[in-house]
Amino acid sequence: MGFDQYHEPANELPEETRTFARMIASLAEEAEAINWYEQRIAVEKNPVAKAIMKDAQKEEFKHFGMDLEFLLRMKPVWKEILQGILFKEGSIVEHADDAEDKAPDQ
């Protein structure tokens, strides 16, 4: 099993950074699983199989959300920026630019 989430020697990284890398990898894996289910659901003709896949995809949404929340708690500036973008009507790009401008430097 590879550990390619590290771009620096793992033994030189602090534990918090290694945890962060693991959670980023987990977030990416959950996003990938959501995508795989989305594609399978799109082409599946059997309604029972499709229902099972939809249920499984919901579980991946939960995992993605938990991973994201953990990371946001580790990096408060991320949370601040995302709060300026998510669940808002209007231009996503404008909200993102405003949120980034207002966020403190790390």
Side-chain angles (χ1 to χ4, degrees):
M1 176 182 210
F3 294 97
D4 60 352
Q5 73 261 32
Y6 300 118
H7 293 281
E8 299 295 331
N11 62 333
E12 293 181 24
L13 297 172
E15 184 62 32
E16 184 175 324
T17 302
R18 292 193 310 269
T19 296
F20 182 82
R22 287 183 202 109
M23 293 305 292
I24 287 286
S26 181
L27 184 75
E29 290 163 0
E30 298 302 341
E32 187 173 46
I34 290 166
N35 178 38
W36 290 346
Y37 280 117
E38 190 69 22
Q39 293 178 42
R40 291 172 186 158
I41 291 164
V43 297
E44 183 54 55
K45 299 199 183 341
N46 182 294
V48 175
K50 189 177 234 179
I52 292 167
M53 289 178 210
K54 285 182 177 181
D55 184 73
Q57 188 185 46
K58 281 184 185 177
E59 188 79 10
E60 303 303 343
F61 292 151
K62 179 181 83 175
H63 297 159
F64 182 91
M66 291 188 306
D67 289 348
L68 181 58
E69 180 62 23
F70 181 88
L71 290 164
L72 293 176
R73 290 178 186 188
M74 286 187 80
K75 300 289 184 182
V77 70
W78 285 17
K79 188 170 192 169
E80 188 170 331
I81 291 171
L82 290 183
Q83 284 174 329
I85 300 168
L86 299 176
F87 311 110
K88 296 182 180 285
E89 297 294 322
S91 171
I92 295 168
V93 173
E94 287 178 19
H95 290 312
D97 287 343
D98 289 345
E100 183 180 25
D101 289 343
K102 292 176 185 173
D105 293 331
Q106 288 195 54

